[in-house]
Amino acid sequence: QGQLEESGGEVVQAGGSLRLSCVASGRTFSRYTMAWFRQAPGKEREFVAVNSVSGGYTKYVDSVKGRFTISRDSAKNTVYLQMNNLKPEDTARYYCAASSRVIMSAVSLGRMYDYWGQGTQVTVSS
């Protein structure tokens, strides 16, 4: 049984940076597409970024393009989300997700992911 555990979330001022980490255990997630989603209070879960199995394909939601970078270290079974120039609207709980079956045209669909972490809270103050 695979597990994902996020960390790195905290309170930060607007314009600041954070790096979220997602450590995978229980199976070899190097063969999985890895993604980050987020959910703000009262809002639906939102796709943020995805990294393909090979790491050669990445995709971001428009609102974070140029500010966020997703990457993975397969040797450490870890996926990262580097977040720069944070804005108050980035405030949300961030979740790591993994899928062995998602196709690239559907990477933003949460239902395509089989494994989810518990999330880590990011709060950006203005």
Side-chain angles (χ1 to χ4, degrees), residues 29-97:
F29 281 91
S30 59
R31 296 182 178 273
Y32 284 67
T33 294
M34 303 297 294
W36 287 94
F37 288 76
R38 65 186 179 185
Q39 188 167 21
K43 294 187 177 181
E44 293 186 353
R45 182 177 58 195
E46 176 187 40
F47 165 80
V48 176
V50 67
N51 181 271
S52 65
V53 172
S54 66
Y57 174 84
T58 57
K59 180 180 179 180
Y60 301 90
V61 66
D62 286 346
S63 60
V64 308
K65 285 181 180 177
R67 299 188 298 122
F68 289 14
T69 302
I70 187 171
S71 62
R72 71 164 74 194
D73 184 336
S74 296
K76 295 182 179 180
N77 239 9
T78 301
V79 176
Y80 302 100
L81 185 67
Q82 178 66 44
M83 306 187 295
N84 298 327
N85 190 22
L86 283 160
K87 303 177 180 180
E89 51 264 42
D90 294 319
T91 295
R93 191 164 187 84
Y94 284 70
Y95 297 89
C96 177

Side-chain angles (χ1 to χ4, degrees), residues 108-126:
S108 62
L109 300 179
R111 65 177 183 268
M112 298 301 296
Y113 292 83
D114 305 305
Y115 297 96
W116 293 84
Q118 295 299 306
T120 185
Q121 179 67 35
V122 173
T123 302
V124 185
S125 61
S126 58

